[in-house]
Structure formats: structure tokens, C-alpha cells
Amino acid sequence: MSRKEEKRKRRERMIEENGLIFLDGVSKVYSAGAPALNGITLHVNRGEFVFIVGDSGSGKSTLIKLLLRELTATSGKVWVMGHDIANLPHRKIPKFRRNLGIVFQDFRLLKDRNVYENVAFAQRIIEVPTKDIRRNVPSILATVGLAGKYKAKPKQLSGGEQQRVALARALINKPSILLADEPTGNLDPKNSWEIMMLLEEINASGTTVIVVTHNREIVNAMQKRVVTMKKGIIVSDEEEGEYIDED
Amino acid sequence: MKISTMFYTLRQGIKGIFRNKLFSLASIATISACLFLFGILYAIVMNFQHIVKTAEEGFCVVVFFDNNIEDTRKSEIGDLIRLRTEVADVKYVSASEAWSWYKERYLKGHEEGFPTNPLEHYDNYEVYLKDVSMYDSLVTYLMSVEGVRYVRRSDVVAEALSGGNLLIAYVSLGIIGILLAVSVFLISNTVTIGISVRQEEINIMKYIGATDFFVRAPFVIEGMLIGAVGAGIPLGLIYLLYNKIVLQVGTAFPALSERLSFLPVNGIFDVLTPVSLCIGIGIGFLGSFTTVRKHLKV
């Protein structure tokens, strides 16, 4: 068995035993102040839909940054898709991130490019042939309900539409995991629900979805796994859970 | 890298210039201004050096022979002089040629009082130097050659030419050095600011999984194109202005233009074009490469 094959099997075994995402006693301390994360342990299995909730300063954003390998843990291990991501060399981070779809509260679209170019960009970076991009982009735009707006610039779209573009961009490379950091934070209730329905559809197709949110109504209505964080620790982790108020 | 990715990168580099028109214009203007000053200074310095060089080429020492030496010895002396490394050219002036020149220059039709050639023993070699700074060693040698009676020379002119040449070289090197340092600073600052305002764009690319190369390449191409355009504009301007200015100097100062010969425009541009383009493109490359690197740690 080749070394590469051996590594792949080891990663598969790791995923089988500990889940697609596995945080083992992870702490993150910034240069000053209390730890943002304090020894948390979390398993997320393939195909799960997980809400991560908690007030500001509870450590949700730090958790997302750790999963994206934007930050590294001060102590403990972070395994994503069988990779110990603290040990990923800088040059391998881009390839690792291509397995993650990421959606932000502020959409983070390239403002000077139209909808088509924003979505196509995710395929450009993995060098998908242009003829395939021309086929894939309209298809994913149709999935998120933006087939007719491919020429529009982000500023010509509503918040909900911009978030759909961000979702299309996150999904076009068929990631194993979709991370959504406050995806409905800038949207009205109607658009928020539409985005959540899209996320549910994406999850139903097999993608693991992790949503960081403050939206109590949505969390309570969707009856998914809810991980509640407070001051850097996980205070509750329940299947079909509810949003727990700090009080 | 796939060919389609290469073309995509190139297209993005070109589009980037238009997406950030203001900073592109600022960068091009800064590069153009700096390289225009550089080009003007270079043209002035090169012309000074050319004028001094022309003066040097016309500068010669004159070697006179002992009376009554054989013509064969005179030829031998000529051969000996030609072998010297300092010598660019040797010209034999016979006694009659010397007299003709003298009559024409000083007597102008009043030579009837000279029935014979008074310069009979003044046939000579005019020795032209490759470089005036070699003057001393050549004169010392010539005076030691058997059969040489006298070497006519001008230490003052030689010193002035040699010193002037050195002074111009040092001053121009100094000014060009300072100007280049200022240019590099100004241009890289402008390029840096232009890229810094696009940090968010770089972050987004990195989050999606773009490699450092994929993020950096369009910026580097953009920087190099801006550098090339920024270098091309002053080159074009100087090219257009140069002949007009030389012509203008000739018209306004006819006495000056008789004595001074300016370099042809190609003489300036043979060096100025590649140097300016290298500076412009090089700074565009380095400025964008190093600035983007700072923002890649996402």
C-alpha cells in the first residue's frame, strides 16, 4: 500500500471513530484576557446539521476560525476530515479549505464582479475547465433561485440575494462541510427562512452543515442539534435542541 | 498551471487596472513623474559626457622630431606611438602641410615675406588620445623616445577635460542614485496603498481556497503593467521633446551649437528605454509581490 493510500485510510478511520469534525480539549487564548475557548470537546458526524449558539464573546467565531484554519489552537487538537489541521503546512491550507464551504454574515462577495464571476471564481481557483464552469455556474444559480440574475453586481441585489450568491459560491465545489457564520444576521425574517430552507436542502443532499447564529426563532423551529456556548465552553449539546437564554 | 488559468490570471491582471482606476492612475502618474525626471537627467548627463568626449577626441599632443633625422626614423617613431594603448589615432603632418595651415590661419595673404618654408623642421605627428586621463603617461613616454625633440602639450586643458569628465560622472551618478531611491520609495508606496485597499478581496480569495500564487499573480501582472505604462509615457514624452529641444537650443544659441554636438535621440534611447522599462516593470513587480505577501497570511 502506498504512503498516500495509507494516509487516506488513516483519515477515514479517524472520521469513522471521531466524526468529520473533532475538537479534543481545545483552548484558544489571545495575547491578553480570558481564553476565548476553554478546553472544548466536540464531535460532528457526516451529514449532521448543527447550530452553534451563544452570546457575543462565547467563542463561536473563534471556533469557526479554528475550523477554517485561520487560527490555530493554543492547546488541544482540531481534526477536520481526518486532518490534524494545526499540522497543515501553509501551502496545503488552500486545498484543505476547498473542502469547506463558507458563508459569512456580511456575504463577502467580490464587489466589482457580477454574480456569475463571483460563483465561477470558486471554480477558477481549483482550475475547473471553462466549459465546465459555464455549465456548473448556471446550474447552481438555479438551485439557489438566482438563475436570472447572473449579470447583476452585488450592490444591485438585496441582502437575501447576496447571501444566495455566497451560498452558491460555497456549494459549487461540492464541499463536505458548509460553515455558515451568522448567515441570516443581515436578513429580514422572510429571507432568513429562505436561506435556512436552502441550508436544510443542502444538508439533505449529504453536506454537513454548521450554522453559527443568534436567531432563536429559527433554531427553535428547525429542531436540529444545538450546541450552546458560553464564555468559551460548551454548556449544552442536544439533539433537536432549543436556543437556551443566558439567563 | 493550465493554459486557461494562465489567460484568466492575465485577464484579471488587466481588469484589475480598470477596477481600481484611481490607484492605477496614481501609480502610473508617480512612476511616470519619477521616470520622466530620470530620463531628462539621463539625457542631460549623456549629452554632457558626449560633449566632453567630443572635446577629448579633438585634443591632441604634437610630437616634433630632432633636426636632420632620417625619414625612416620618423616612420619608426610613428609605429612606436601607434603601439601605445593610450593612442586612438596618429596623423603625420608634413612641413609643407604645417606651413599651409599656418599661412591660412595667421597670415591670410601676407606671406610674401617668407620665400622659403620657415617650418621646415616642424613636420610632426598629431597624437590623439583614447582617454585624456592617460595623458600624463603618454607625454612622459613620448619625451623619452629617441629622435623626439619636443612634445607640445596643454596640461591645463587635459586636466580640465579629465577632471570635468570625472566630476560629471560622480555628480550624475549621485543624482541618478538619489532620484532612483526616491522613485522606488514613492512608487512602491503608491502600489502598496493601491493593494492594501483591496485586502478584503484577498481575504475572500484565501477563504475560498485560492493558493498564494493564484491570489498574487493577477496583482503582480497588474503591477508590472502599471510599471510598463508608467515607464512608457515618459519615454514617449522625452522622445518627442528631445529633438525639439536640441533644435531650439541650436536656434536660440547658434554660437553654442557650432561648438557643441548633441547626441542623436537614438543614442539616448538605446540605453534609456530598457533601463526605464526595467525600473518601471521591476518596481511594479516587487511592489505588488511584497505587498500582497503581507496580506496572504489569512
Side-chain angles (χ1 to χ4, degrees):
Chain A
M1 190 190 298
S2 72
R3 220 175 126 86
K4 211 172 166 182
E5 183 68 12
E6 204 174 309
K7 273 187 175 176
R8 195 186 62 78
K9 288 217 162 163
R10 209 166 40 224
R11 279 202 302 270
E12 280 300 319
R13 209 165 41 244
M14 183 72 197
I15 294 168
E16 289 301 318
E17 287 169 9
N18 296 299
L20 199 59
I21 294 172
F22 172 37
L23 282 82
D24 186 13
V26 172
S27 295
K28 177 66 190 176
V29 184
Y30 293 109
S31 54
L37 291 178
N38 197 355
I40 66 166
T41 296
L42 178 71
H43 300 257
V44 177
N45 291 318
R46 267 201 183 106
E48 271 199 284
F49 191 119
V50 183
F51 281 117
I52 297 180
V53 301
D55 292 322
S56 299
S58 59
K60 305 185 302 290
S61 296
T62 302
L63 177 61
I64 291 286
K65 284 179 179 172
L66 285 176
L67 295 178
L68 269 174
R69 184 46 168 84
E70 191 180 341
L71 296 174
T72 49
T74 311
S75 64
K77 290 276 185 193
V78 180
W79 298 84
V80 179
M81 291 172 296
H83 294 280
D84 175 2
I85 60 173
N87 290 333
L88 273 182
H90 179 78
R91 68 190 160 80
K92 287 194 173 172
I93 294 172
K95 202 173 172 191
F96 161 73
R97 284 184 180 157
R98 290 170 197 171
N99 293 303
L100 308 174
I102 176 87
V103 177
F104 297 95
Q105 178 178 357
D106 55 359
F107 323 127
R108 301 207 188 166
L109 300 175
L110 299 168
K111 293 180 182 66
D112 47 20
R113 295 178 210 192
N114 64 26
V115 168
Y116 179 93
E117 287 165 340
N118 263 285
V119 179
F121 182 74
Q123 297 236 288
R124 294 276 181 208
I125 62 176
I126 57 168
E127 302 200 63
V128 174
T130 305
K131 66 174 175 24
D132 293 341
I133 294 176
R134 285 192 189 127
R135 191 183 60 233
N136 297 341
V137 175
S139 163
I140 195 82
L141 285 176
T143 306
V144 298
L146 285 175
K149 299 216 169 181
Y150 67 97
K151 277 186 180 170
K153 290 275 173 71
K155 65 180 174 191
Q156 296 170 305
L157 301 175
S158 69
E161 287 171 329
Q162 289 189 56
Q163 197 58 293
R164 284 161 191 265
V165 178
L167 258 178
R169 184 182 65 189
L171 293 173
I172 195 161
N173 291 338
K174 299 184 172 61
S176 307
I177 302 169
L178 180 72
L179 300 173
D181 190 1
E182 300 278 8
T184 60
N186 282 343
L187 305 180
D188 57 39
K190 182 177 172 284
N191 275 309
S192 296
W193 271 110
E194 285 176 4
I195 293 296
M196 292 316 295
M197 289 305 103
L198 272 173
L199 288 175
E200 195 162 32
E201 273 177 42
I202 291 157
N203 177 240
S205 69
T207 307
T208 305
V209 177
I210 297 178
V211 181
V212 169
T213 185
H214 273 113
N215 195 321
R216 177 184 294 105
E217 191 192 337
I218 284 174
V219 172
N220 290 343
M222 285 186 73
Q223 296 287 293
K224 301 286 183 189
R225 181 179 167 193
V226 179
V227 174
T228 308
M229 296 184 70
K230 187 177 174 185
K231 292 182 181 170
I233 56 171
I234 293 173
V235 292
S236 138
D237 183 352
E238 290 182 26
E239 297 299 326
E240 298 186 13
E242 290 206 336
Y243 196 109
I244 302 169
D245 282 319
E246 198 179 354
D247 305 330
Chain B
M1 190 206 277
K2 287 185 177 170
I3 293 175
S4 62
T5 307
M6 208 167 73
F7 281 117
Y8 172 77
T9 305
L10 189 65
R11 269 202 314 276
Q12 291 306 313
I14 296 167
K15 281 182 181 174
I17 296 175
F18 298 99
R19 282 191 193 119
N20 301 277
K21 286 188 202 85
L22 202 66
F23 282 107
S24 302
L25 279 175
S27 301
I28 289 171
T30 312
I31 295 174
S32 292
C34 290
L35 292 182
F36 183 74
L37 284 177
F38 168 73
I40 293 283
L41 186 73
Y42 178 80
I44 292 171
V45 167
M46 284 300 106
N47 271 298
F48 259 118
Q49 284 199 331
H50 176 68
I51 289 163
V52 172
K53 190 84 189 160
T54 311
E56 271 183 29
E57 282 166 8
F59 177 79
C60 65
V61 289
V62 185
V63 178
F64 296 98
F65 313 107
D66 283 339
N67 291 344
N68 305 320
I69 66 165
E70 298 290 327
D71 284 348
T72 50
R73 180 58 193 158
K74 289 178 187 174
S75 300
E76 283 169 11
I77 292 171
D79 293 339
L80 285 172
I81 296 171
R82 278 186 196 94
L83 285 174
R84 297 288 297 185
T85 52
E86 305 95 327
V87 173
D89 193 19
V90 180
K91 186 178 156 197
Y92 177 74
V93 179
S94 66
S96 61
E97 282 169 337
W99 177 228
S100 299
W101 179 84
Y102 189 89
K103 282 191 291 188
E104 196 179 309
R105 175 111 192 225
Y106 297 108
L107 301 178
K108 291 182 179 158
H110 300 91
E111 62 269 20
E112 58 277 1
F114 299 95
T116 55
N117 181 358
L119 301 180
E120 198 179 333
H121 299 297
Y122 285 85
D123 55 338
N124 59 69
Y125 282 123
E126 286 177 356
V127 183
Y128 296 88
L129 285 89
K130 284 180 185 158
D131 186 341
V132 182
S133 63
M134 297 166 166
Y135 170 84
D136 280 341
S137 65
L138 181 68
V139 168
T140 309
Y141 170 76
L142 291 173
M143 289 170 74
S144 71
V145 174
E146 196 182 328
V148 170
R149 181 180 82 228
Y150 171 61
V151 177
R152 196 180 72 201
R153 62 196 198 267
S154 174
D155 295 349
V156 178
V157 175
E159 243 174 64
L161 282 173
S162 172
N165 219 353
L166 261 181
L167 185 71
I168 290 169
Y170 285 140
V171 170
S172 55
L173 265 180
I175 296 176
I176 286 174
I178 292 168
L179 194 62
L180 274 183
V182 172
S183 305
V184 170
F185 178 75
L186 278 177
I187 295 164
S188 55
N189 254 2
T190 317
V191 172
T192 301
I193 294 167
I195 288 172
S196 297
V197 297
R198 294 159 73 185
Q199 188 177 353
E200 196 193 336
E201 186 180 331
I202 295 172
N203 287 352
I204 294 169
M205 293 178 184
K206 290 291 289 176
Y207 280 130
I208 301 173
T211 57
D212 289 356
F213 175 82
F214 196 90
V215 175
R216 186 187 272 149
F219 284 98
V220 170
I221 288 169
E222 190 181 324
M224 288 167 73
L225 286 174
I226 284 175
V229 174
I233 291 171
L235 282 173
L237 270 176
I238 294 170
Y239 193 89
L240 290 173
L241 288 174
Y242 186 82
N243 280 334
K244 286 189 179 173
I245 290 171
V246 169
L247 201 71
Q248 192 66 33
V249 169
T251 316
F253 310 101
L256 203 64
S257 64
E258 271 173 27
R259 285 179 172 76
L260 304 180
S261 71
F262 293 102
L263 273 171
V265 73
N266 288 343
I268 299 284
F269 273 74
D270 284 350
V271 175
L272 188 61
T273 305
V275 169
S276 291
L277 284 173
C278 282
I279 293 171
I281 295 171
I283 291 173
F285 174 83
L286 282 178
S288 50
F289 189 89
T290 51
T291 311
V292 174
R293 192 174 60 179
K294 284 180 206 160
H295 299 294
L296 286 175
K297 291 168 189 160
V298 177

